[in-house]
Amino acid sequence: MSYENCLKKIGASQLPPFTIQYGRNQLDNIDKEWKWKDEIAWQDSDRILHKRVYVSDDGLIRLTCEMTEFLNNNAVEWILYLENIGTCHSPVISNLLPLHMNLTVDPDIIPSVLYSKGCFPEAGVDNYALRNYPLKPGRKFQIDSPGGKTIESIPFFNICQNGRGWIGAVGWAGSWIISAEKTGADEIELKAGMNETNISLKPEEKIRTPRILLMPWEGEWIEAQNSLRRHNLIYHTPHYNGKPVEVPICHGGWGGLKEEHALELMDKIQAENMQYDAFWMDAGWYGPDREEDEYQVFGEEDWFLYTGDWRINKTAHPRGLKPISDAAHKHNMKYLLWFEPERVVVGTPISKEHPEWIIGDKATNFGGHKDLPYVRFGLYDFGNEEARKWMTDMISRTISEIGIDIFRQDCNDSGLAYYWNSVDTPDRRGMTQIRYVEGLLEFWDELRRRHPDLIFDIVQRGDLDTITRAVDLSRSDYPIAPDSDPIGNQIATEGLSFWRAHYGTLVTTIPEDTYHMRSAFCPGVGFAITDLNGTREQLGAFKEREFPFSWARSIMNQLRRARPYYYGDYYPLTISGLNQAKLFGGPWAYEENVCSFERTDWFAYQMNRKDLEEGMVMVLKRPFSAYCTAQFVLRGLEAEGMYEIEDVDTEERICKKGSELSETGLEITISEKPGSKLYFYRQMQEE
């Protein structure tokens, strides 16, 4: 077990897996140009942390590659740390790429890059859609994020070719870039890191790079994806009492919801035995005292005008928010409260009292609505130690005083690099961002240290460092609209499930529409028994006066029963109409959209808990399908095992052998258009 063994694992035995330019010297093989030594920092039952420590030839820079070798899978992760150990400014450090290596591939087969889109709040049903990019000679695959929400894509990829490949990911809550280019007949150049670095380090300064994960694989690509899911569940999922976080099922509420109505709502939830895990209070509760709508009225919102002013609006909440939190706890629910600490409206108290804590200034007509006023935003500087301490103390105090169990951090900006770059000098490009990201992670970690049971809901960032600390209860804004297409939630579940097991979604409750609700099933779902948002015309139009609580309880019970299976292995049963034999023989070479958006198709997936010998199958027949019956081949079952399969709707149970389900498949008939079926199965024990 050694640092060299890690390099061999990932296919980097000839050169280090990173590059750096030091002054005018491009160090493609730093091992030959700087002195180095290896150390083993620590070891436990399933991991070894190796260190290779380099010192520059001028004695100014110490570069440490901390590389974690995982003994239970093929994953290797690493971060670079650079420190000025001299007494003067260093030469400029540029082109710093923690991942830069050449992969050897078969010259006769076109490799494919699988990746998923981002949250795309304006784009509709294609949020998190799984994509395939054929990497033909001369073509360059590239995904990136300018910081903030991961709008375009999430930082995960799988380079596939003929039963082998490399899965990779980046951990960086800032601006990142990933690229892969076919530079030769049998070679792919793979790069990942920050978008730009050009930094002269001052004496005693130390910085880190993005985290890199690389997992080589052989065999079936879907099993490689499940290996990544299992890895992320262990190492990149927040744990409580030694177990992965249970993503909560939430009842939503707008920040302007008055105390008396919130308490009435929670009494109704308990009376109807709805068993929500959390009561969610979103934006709109803060700022100057003023009248506030009790619902999110699209096009008439003012919540964004007061971000940065975290005083409770006493007109909307005369007694504060603790009575609402107390009521949630009384009804065995956690209390979730929304914040957006990264953005500050210019003119709020903190921007006047400490202008030195605010980075940049951006004017925007928020949301592009002609009736909404222009507002100027600055970025709160988490890289400033004094500013970070003030924010940490204020949020921590608010958590304790109100009784917050879930801290929701939104960031309604997908271009934070604009702020960082606005204050960097030419020889310090990237420094503001690095300090900001380091500070943001410290902010989250310190809050967790002070509040060990606090659950973090970090909205739509999705990188490795963030998902290690937090869930994302609203993976996309698209399903919030009452008239959103349920296919959007189907596509998002498929696209995210390839990479990780802990995330959530919101969905507008449409009474008696089981297809609509099951389309949103995932590890955690937020839905309500009352209207939450929409235009003035939409509010109230989607609910009956007598809400069907019996149906809603059934949906809740199904969701709670299904939730544990989302932590297992994921098998897509319908992808772009390809038959299963071709799909699992993989990979594809000529198809950009792996997911189907067609309203004539079916959508189905299986979640398998091998450890429990149980699982579930979700089947959704879209509204214009011409077919009533389909056959679905299941995965991950014991060939000789007998399985009891329960149809949730009819309560009928059948028994089938694992080999039959894995070869012939499970035949499913759905007559309704649209329609759905949910099955739970378990392996029967021999008597």
Side-chain angles (χ1 to χ4, degrees):
M1 305 299 178
S2 66
Y3 182 92
E4 298 290 346
N5 188 56
C6 293
L7 299 183
K8 290 177 182 178
K9 251 189 177 185
I10 61 175
S13 56
Q14 300 301 314
L15 295 170
F18 61 88
T19 56
I20 175 177
Q21 182 170 330
Y22 188 60
R24 296 182 178 180
N25 190 12
Q26 177 65 39
L27 302 174
D28 293 322
N29 190 349
I30 194 173
D31 286 13
K32 292 185 176 181
E33 303 198 43
W34 287 9
K35 294 179 181 179
W36 55 268
K37 64 178 181 178
D38 286 347
E39 304 172 1
I40 292 182
W42 55 262
Q43 179 174 354
D44 59 21
S45 61
D46 57 355
R47 289 174 294 180
I48 304 175
L49 177 62
H50 304 278
K51 288 186 179 182
R52 178 161 288 186
V53 183
Y54 301 85
V55 177
S56 62
D57 49 11
D58 61 9
L60 290 178
I61 294 296
R62 178 166 58 216
L63 186 156
T64 303
C65 179
E66 292 195 356
M67 186 169 283
T68 303
E69 180 181 10
F70 295 87
L71 306 181
N72 53 6
N73 60 42
N74 285 332
V76 176
E77 296 185 15
W78 65 93
I79 301 174
L80 305 182
Y81 295 90
L82 294 91
E83 182 179 5
N84 187 336
I85 56 175
T87 58
C88 61
H89 286 53
S90 76
V92 167
I93 296 165
S94 59
N95 298 325
L96 178 58
L97 291 170
L99 174 57
H100 187 185
M101 55 186 290
N102 293 320
L103 309 176
T104 302
V105 295
D106 188 330
D108 298 323
I109 299 176
I110 297 172
S112 292
V113 185
L114 294 179
Y115 70 102
S116 292
K117 285 187 173 184
C119 56
F120 268 87
E122 306 296 335
V125 297
D126 60 345
N127 49 177
Y128 299 105
L130 186 69
R131 303 271 288 176
N132 165 55
Y133 188 97
L135 204 58
K136 299 177 183 179
R139 293 192 72 188
K140 184 177 181 178
F141 164 80
Q142 181 172 304
I143 54 176
D144 56 50
S145 170
K149 288 187 176 182
T150 48
I151 296 294
E152 296 293 334
S153 54
I154 56 176
F156 291 84
F157 62 90
N158 186 354
I159 299 174
C160 310
Q161 190 194 52
N162 197 29
R164 60 188 288 262
W166 295 264
I167 289 178
V170 171
W172 189 248
S175 176
W176 51 262
I177 187 168
I178 299 169
S179 69
E181 185 174 7
K182 192 85 180 296
T183 53
D186 63 348
E187 192 171 79
I188 294 173
E189 185 179 28
L190 178 62
K191 298 179 181 180
M194 286 175 58
N195 272 299
E196 181 184 9
T197 49
N198 197 76
I199 300 170
S200 172
L201 287 180
K202 300 174 183 178
E204 300 184 0
E205 274 192 328
K206 184 177 181 179
I207 60 174
R208 62 157 282 192
T209 68
R211 177 186 304 274
I212 301 297
L213 178 152
L214 204 60
M215 179 186 285
W217 60 270
E218 291 186 2
E220 295 186 82
W221 70 273
I222 189 62
E223 297 301 346
Q225 298 288 163
N226 279 320
S227 181
L228 176 74
R229 280 174 57 89
R230 292 190 290 269
H231 177 87
N232 284 340
L233 191 61
I234 297 171
Y235 303 109
H236 296 296
T237 299
H239 282 61
Y240 298 84
N241 300 317
K243 296 180 180 180
V245 62
E246 184 176 70
V247 185
I249 302 168
C250 303
H251 190 289
W254 189 240
L257 185 65
K258 291 183 170 53
E259 177 187 322
E260 60 180 301
H261 296 143
L263 269 54
E264 289 173 4
L265 182 55
M266 283 187 267
D267 287 343
K268 187 67 172 176
I269 287 169
Q270 184 176 48
E272 296 293 345
N273 193 28
M274 282 300 297
Q275 298 186 59
Y276 283 100
D277 298 314
F279 188 82
W280 174 329
M281 182 159 275
D282 211 78
W285 56 267
Y286 47 84
D289 298 341
R290 68 196 187 283
E291 291 295 334
E292 177 72 15
D293 277 310
E294 293 195 75
Y295 307 97
Q296 183 181 14
V297 184
F298 296 159
E300 300 178 30
E301 307 159 57
D302 69 352
W303 59 271
F304 61 90
L305 296 175
Y306 308 110
T307 54
D309 183 354
W310 301 113
R311 299 171 297 178
I312 295 173
N313 174 0
K314 289 301 183 72
T315 301
H317 303 289
R319 298 204 303 156
L321 297 175
K322 193 171 190 308
I324 300 176
S325 172
D326 288 345
H329 297 150
K330 173 186 171 184
H331 294 312
N332 298 313
M333 290 187 286
K334 297 182 185 298
Y335 182 60
L336 179 154
L337 192 62
W338 182 100
F339 292 84
E340 191 178 6
E342 293 177 83
R343 288 198 315 163
V344 178
V345 172
V346 176
T348 51
I350 193 65
S351 72
K352 294 178 178 178
E353 294 167 13
H354 291 284
E356 72 279 10
W357 292 355
I358 311 302
I359 303 172
D361 188 333
K362 182 192 292 186
T364 179
N365 187 347
F366 192 83
H369 193 289
K370 62 182 178 63
D371 294 331
L372 297 181
Y374 271 86
V375 61
R376 289 167 54 208
F377 289 109
L379 188 66
Y380 193 83
D381 188 4
F382 278 92
N384 180 308
E385 186 174 353
E386 187 180 5
R388 183 173 66 253
K389 183 180 185 304
W390 184 91
M391 183 64 76
T392 304
D393 290 344
M394 186 275 292
I395 295 289
S396 180
R397 185 171 60 251
T398 305
I399 288 168
S400 298
E401 291 175 353
I402 294 176
I404 299 168
D405 307 290
I406 304 174
F407 169 70
R408 177 170 172 81
Q409 179 170 325
D410 209 339
C411 180
N412 288 286
D413 198 320
S414 58
L416 300 187
Y418 167 85
Y419 300 98
W420 300 321
N421 294 342
S422 70
V423 295
D424 279 341
T425 57
D427 64 342
R428 303 279 283 176
R429 298 287 284 180
M431 194 66 189
T432 303
Q433 178 184 170
I434 290 170
R435 286 290 179 254
Y436 184 95
V437 171
E438 291 172 340
L440 187 62
L441 298 182
E442 174 57 30
F443 168 64
W444 294 337
D445 292 343
E446 179 59 24
L447 285 179
R448 180 73 190 270
R449 281 191 285 269
R450 298 186 191 185
H451 308 276
D453 295 327
L454 184 69
I455 295 174
F456 291 78
D457 171 23
I458 309 300
V459 180
Q460 298 163 14
R461 248 190 174 99
D463 67 283
L464 274 180
D465 282 354
T466 300
I467 69 173
T468 302
R469 296 163 168 82
V471 299
D472 180 357
L473 297 181
S474 59
R475 59 193 177 189
S476 168
D477 289 352
Y478 174 72
I480 295 174
D483 55 356
S484 63
D485 191 324
I487 291 175
N489 259 327
Q490 298 170 20
I491 295 297
T493 293
E494 182 170 77
L496 275 175
S497 293
F498 282 99
W499 314 107
R500 59 186 171 110
H502 64 296
Y503 57 85
T505 191
L506 297 171
V507 61
T508 296
T509 307
I510 299 181
E512 307 285 5
D513 192 338
T514 301
Y515 165 83
H516 178 85
M517 297 300 292
R518 284 178 176 170
S519 293
F521 272 32
C522 67
V525 178
F527 70 101
I529 61 173
T530 182
D531 289 317
L532 296 178
N533 46 45
T535 64
R536 290 283 180 196
E537 294 73 24
Q538 287 173 329
L539 286 168
F542 292 84
K543 302 290 187 299
E544 300 171 356
R545 290 195 175 191
E546 295 298 324
F547 189 77
F549 280 103
S550 176
W551 167 82
R553 277 192 298 273
S554 174
I555 293 295
M556 175 65 81
N557 292 338
Q558 293 169 30
L559 182 55
R560 295 184 73 87
R561 189 175 171 189
R563 178 167 53 183
Y565 301 124
Y566 285 97
Y567 290 80
D569 288 345
Y570 169 69
Y571 295 104
L573 303 181
T574 49
I575 287 189
S576 291
L578 299 177
N579 66 53
Q580 298 302 296
K582 180 178 179 182
L583 172 63
F584 291 112
W588 321 268
Y590 304 103
E591 188 171 324
E592 289 280 314
N593 279 321
V594 177
C595 304
S596 169
F597 302 93
E598 298 299 325
R599 295 165 69 83
T600 55
D601 284 340
W602 290 38
F603 174 80
Y605 60 88
Q606 174 193 2
M607 293 288 180
N608 186 52
R609 286 289 299 268
K610 202 162 189 175
D611 57 327
L612 301 177
E613 299 179 331
E614 299 175 1
M616 60 171 280
V617 176
M618 175 69 78
V619 183
L620 299 154
K621 176 184 172 183
R622 292 174 179 169
F624 299 115
S625 172
Y627 304 99
C628 291
T629 302
Q631 201 91 1
F632 296 100
V633 173
L634 304 189
R635 303 280 305 198
L637 307 182
E638 294 292 334
E640 297 302 314
M642 289 297 297
Y643 289 84
E644 180 186 73
I645 304 166
E646 175 192 351
D647 182 328
V648 170
D649 298 318
T650 65
E651 298 184 353
E652 293 179 357
R653 289 174 169 82
I654 60 173
C655 292
K656 286 186 178 291
K657 200 171 182 180
S659 57
E660 180 182 354
L661 293 168
S662 300
E663 296 169 8
T664 306
L666 179 65
E667 184 175 282
I668 296 173
T669 299
I670 302 175
S671 56
E672 299 85 0
K673 294 196 298 184
S676 65
K677 280 289 186 181
L678 175 60
Y679 297 89
F680 294 113
Y681 63 83
R682 66 180 183 91
Q683 186 173 351
M684 301 172 68
Q685 302 301 316
E686 295 183 7
E687 297 182 0

